[in-house]
Amino acid sequence: MIDKNLLDNLLDVYPGKSMKNRKEHIMIKDSSQEKQHIKANTRTIPGIMTNRGCAYAGCKGVVVGPIKDMIHIVHGPIGCSYYAWGTRRNKARADKGGKNFINYSFSTDMQDPDIVFGGEKKLKQAIKEAVETFDPEAISISATCPVGLIGDDINAVAKEAQKEYGIPVLAFSCEGYKGVSQSAGHHIANNKFMSELIGNREREVKKYSVNILGEYNIGGDAWEIDRIFEKIGYEIVSTMTGDGSFKDIQAAHEANLNLVMCHRSINYIAEMFEEKYGIPWLKVNFIGPKAMVKTLRNMAKYFDDEELIQRTEEVIAEELAEIEEPLARYRKLCEGNTAFLFVGGSRAHHYQNLFKEIGIEPVLAAYEFAHRDDFEGREIIPEIEKTADDRNIPDLEVSKDEARYRLRLSKERYERLKEEMPLAEYEGLIADMEDGKIIIDDLNHYETEVLLKALKPAVFGSGIKDKYVAQKMGVFSKQLHSYDYSGPYAGFKGAVNFARDISAGINTPTWNYITAPWKNEPEIEAELGGAS
Ligand code: CFM
């Protein structure tokens, strides 16, 4: 049980206004209250060490960047490109006869004269070189802060280049300052995908065809999901965007169901798909065997075919049988421990079940940049007031595409299924947390340290910015963003990898040596003074 004074003491050090502010972003789950609310997606207090990223990180780094056969040009100073180069483990392999530029970093390397006289010329030159050297399927341009400040017209450059080279060139005005976190960049990327990318290519698809939205193939997660889906007999029309290909995404409007993994980064597209093309979306979770089984059963029920339902059950039985023994073995090594989860905008929720399945209790879940609906569920969306920051990103209005809209389910069946599964629905993190557990928005470095000391979890599910502080405090940190160098963690086989890594991390004797030996027992003894 959480000590009631803990949060008071935590907040006590803040000056009055900041204390009031932070208080609204921290809560303890209490199911005796009818509805609990939290503040989220607002500006971080200046001076506080936040873990958030910028809009450019969310657009180029998260949503657009993983498309492997495109060249992603960063228009800006080299630092923005360098720090985004290979730091997110969204893996990719070239499709047969296709291309893969994931390991490259392309930048216009803006210098002082470009800031003074404009950088459009340099951008044009970069596109020319990229086309001539690599012959990509398409090009993206991502704007960084100075580009917006000096007013380079990246859209005009993109249009001109598109005409000249005959390939799509998409310009993203995702300057870092466009929002309060990387979340703004997700939205910017989603809008452009819908207005300029999706729906541009026709293709025949099978009946059981899906798009996987908000799955970025971190550590190979999407490949484990592909393996299971293919075994059952699904066709994956496109994945957005892990190991994703430009051409596949162009034909995404043909699929018969959208699966939404990361609600935060891609819910905008999911809704627009439904409106424009009539594709329903289902909230799924591929993390942890229990969640995976539920997801597969919901998918089979959606398509309503006896053979598919049967095949799904066969695959589930086969996969569970294979992981039962190793999972039980690792569970024994993990049981009775606690976890502290701090990830971006969805994983602190998605990983809850998997931790529980190996006997570890999450005592705290925190997000960097989630919105209220990721905490409280989508029903809160109509109540969320728009701030000036939200208005930086125009809401894209889509309407029915008369030529391509197809009703996938009758209205009656849709309503019936909605009662049985999360169709166009997301309940949020709070619903799945147990009473007495802590939930925090925009957790900062100071709060992380205090809470780690107080809660003493066996494992801290972290990111790179916070990992080593915790480890120096003697707390095993597992990066839930990049999985350190491991993975996949999704699906059935991924759960075993995860259990193996967590049990090894918790049980290593390293943590006993966290205090340097010479701090306990001095190796050299000497005396001060002039004794002869
Ligand atoms: Fe979605 Fe992500 Fe996440 Fe995210 Fe991210 Fe990520 Fe993340 Mo790091 S898209 S919100 S912006 S699940 S990079 S793959 S791990 S913070 S919790």
Side-chain angles (χ1 to χ4, degrees):
M1 201 56 206
I2 304 295
D3 175 3
K4 283 235 156 59
N5 294 325
L6 173 62
L7 296 185
D8 291 342
N9 294 341
L10 177 80
L11 293 164
D12 253 359
V13 300
Y14 287 121
K17 236 177 142 184
S18 304
M19 184 206 276
K20 209 173 143 249
N21 179 315
R22 285 304 299 153
K23 206 172 176 180
E24 293 177 313
H25 297 260
I26 302 176
M27 59 167 280
I28 296 179
K29 169 74 186 269
D30 175 4
S31 55
S32 69
Q33 291 184 39
E34 205 192 305
K35 189 80 199 159
Q36 285 187 285
H37 300 295
I38 193 162
K39 206 155 190 190
N41 192 35
T42 56
R43 291 183 186 185
T44 300
I45 303 167
I48 275 187
M49 295 293 284
T50 175
N51 267 18
R52 285 174 163 180
C54 65
Y56 153 73
C59 181
K60 190 268 172 188
V62 173
V63 181
V64 183
I67 304 176
K68 61 191 170 189
D69 46 6
M70 278 178 95
I71 280 185
H72 306 291
I73 297 176
V74 178
H75 187 31
I78 194 65
C80 302
S81 203
Y82 180 78
Y83 287 107
W85 183 19
T87 46
R88 184 164 177 264
R89 293 181 67 233
N90 39 250
K91 294 174 161 251
R93 282 187 206 120
D95 292 332
K96 220 170 167 209
K99 296 169 182 136
N100 175 17
F101 304 112
I102 285 295
N103 294 331
Y104 289 91
S105 176
F106 299 89
S107 168
T108 51
D109 182 23
M110 278 181 123
Q111 302 284 336
D112 294 357
D114 307 316
I115 303 289
V116 177
F117 301 109
E120 289 175 17
K121 246 200 206 152
K122 230 179 173 180
L123 180 59
K124 281 182 201 165
Q125 180 62 22
I127 297 171
K128 183 172 185 282
E129 284 176 31
V131 172
E132 286 172 357
T133 317
F134 294 98
D135 186 24
E137 291 293 334
I139 288 181
S140 78
I141 303 163
S142 291
T144 61
C145 294
V147 172
L149 297 174
I150 64 172
D152 273 358
D153 189 347
I154 60 167
N155 279 296
V157 175
K159 254 196 198 152
E160 206 185 295
Q162 188 155 315
K163 243 200 223 149
E164 190 165 351
Y165 304 113
I167 56 166
V169 181
L170 309 184
F172 295 87
S173 294
C174 58
E175 289 86 350
Y177 58 75
K178 278 278 169 75
V180 301
S181 72
Q182 53 266 64
S183 173
H186 302 152
H187 197 168
I188 292 165
N190 277 226
N191 284 355
K192 178 104 3 190
F193 276 17
M194 199 38 86
S195 58
E196 289 186 33
L197 170 51
I198 294 160
N200 285 346
R201 201 165 68 89
E202 311 295 328
R203 177 179 141 186
E204 289 264 313
V205 298
K206 290 189 192 150
K207 193 170 168 202
Y208 309 129
S209 53
V210 298
N211 292 313
I212 308 178
L213 310 184
E215 168 49 58
Y216 300 96
N217 201 27
I218 306 297
D221 275 355
W223 291 332
E224 165 68 356
I225 298 157
D226 291 357
R227 181 186 72 78
I228 301 163
F229 281 15
E230 275 156 22
K231 201 169 162 185
I232 295 176
Y234 287 107
E235 179 185 358
I236 301 163
V237 180
S238 75
T239 303
M240 290 181 215
T241 50
D243 195 24
S245 101
F246 188 80
K247 285 203 158 152
D248 289 347
I249 298 174
Q250 282 182 310
H253 62 288
E254 306 277 10
N256 286 324
L257 174 64
N258 277 331
L259 307 172
V260 172
M261 177 60 182
C262 170
H263 176 264
R264 182 62 269 135
S265 63
I266 214 142
N267 74 89
Y268 320 91
I269 282 185
E271 275 187 86
M272 292 187 268
F273 259 119
E274 190 153 8
E275 249 193 90
K276 195 167 175 185
Y277 301 111
I279 311 175
W281 66 270
L282 175 70
K283 178 71 188 81
V284 296
N285 184 7
F286 304 125
I287 303 295
K290 272 195 190 149
M292 189 74 206
V293 167
K294 201 167 158 199
T295 291
L296 294 175
R297 287 191 175 139
N298 282 345
M299 287 167 64
K301 197 183 270 176
Y302 169 89
F303 284 108
D304 194 24
D305 174 294
E306 257 321 304
E307 219 173 287
L308 184 72
I309 293 172
Q310 183 74 27
R311 180 72 191 132
T312 301
E313 290 305 325
E314 277 167 25
V315 170
I316 290 174
E318 245 175 71
E319 295 287 332
L320 287 181
E322 234 177 273
I323 64 168
E324 196 185 341
E325 184 277 325
L327 217 52
R329 186 159 28 94
Y330 293 128
R331 187 186 159 100
K332 266 195 198 138
L333 293 164
C334 294
E335 241 160 4
N337 280 301
T338 58
F340 178 134
L341 308 181
F342 176 33
V343 211
S346 80
R347 293 191 168 184
H349 188 191
H350 288 146
Y351 273 80
Q352 296 271 330
N353 267 331
L354 182 51
F355 271 108
K356 284 183 194 156
E357 281 179 73
I358 57 169
I360 296 177
E361 187 61 45
V363 287
L364 184 151
Y367 280 143
E368 288 174 28
F369 53 78
H371 295 203
R372 279 183 67 193
D373 38 319
D374 303 299
F375 289 99
E376 300 180 37
R378 286 181 67 85
E379 62 181 53
I380 204 69
I381 292 176
E383 286 176 42
I384 301 176
E385 279 172 28
K386 279 211 161 166
T387 63
D389 294 302
D390 297 326
R391 287 193 199 98
N392 266 340
I393 306 154
D395 271 325
L396 180 66
E397 294 290 335
V398 296
S399 54
K400 201 166 172 179
D401 180 331
E402 295 293 349
R404 295 185 177 122
Y405 187 96
R406 264 188 301 124
L407 203 62
R408 267 73 173 183
L409 294 175
S410 69
K411 220 175 163 218
E412 300 74 54
R413 188 160 159 71
Y414 187 94
E415 290 307 323
R416 215 173 329 121
L417 281 181
K418 221 171 157 10
E419 282 171 22
E420 297 172 34
M421 62 180 77
L423 260 191
E425 186 51 89
Y426 179 48
E427 271 209 301
L429 166 73
I430 297 174
D432 269 352
M433 293 288 284
E434 280 168 26
D435 277 1
K437 307 294 191 257
I438 305 175
I439 298 162
I440 304 185
D441 169 62
D442 191 14
L443 182 73
N444 57 51
H445 285 200
Y446 152 72
E447 290 165 8
T448 304
E449 276 192 52
V450 172
L451 292 166
L452 278 174
K453 277 184 197 150
L455 300 171
K456 298 187 183 64
V459 49
F460 175 41
S462 70
I464 189 72
K465 296 173 205 148
D466 34 328
K467 177 183 173 94
Y468 296 101
V469 178
Q471 298 225 138
K472 285 173 188 174
M473 289 160 70
V475 178
F476 162 52
S477 284
K478 180 74 217 169
Q479 280 198 64
L480 287 189
H481 296 252
S482 70
Y483 307 162
D484 298 298
Y485 309 99
S486 191
Y489 288 161
F492 298 105
K493 294 195 170 153
V496 176
N497 292 338
F498 181 76
R500 177 200 62 209
D501 292 353
I502 297 294
S503 66
I506 288 179
N507 293 294
T508 169
T510 317
W511 310 118
N512 300 329
Y513 302 111
I514 214 74
T515 311
W518 58 87
K519 289 218 166 150
N520 292 331
E521 291 164 44
E523 283 176 350
I524 302 169
E525 289 193 9
E527 274 176 14
L528 274 180
S532 56

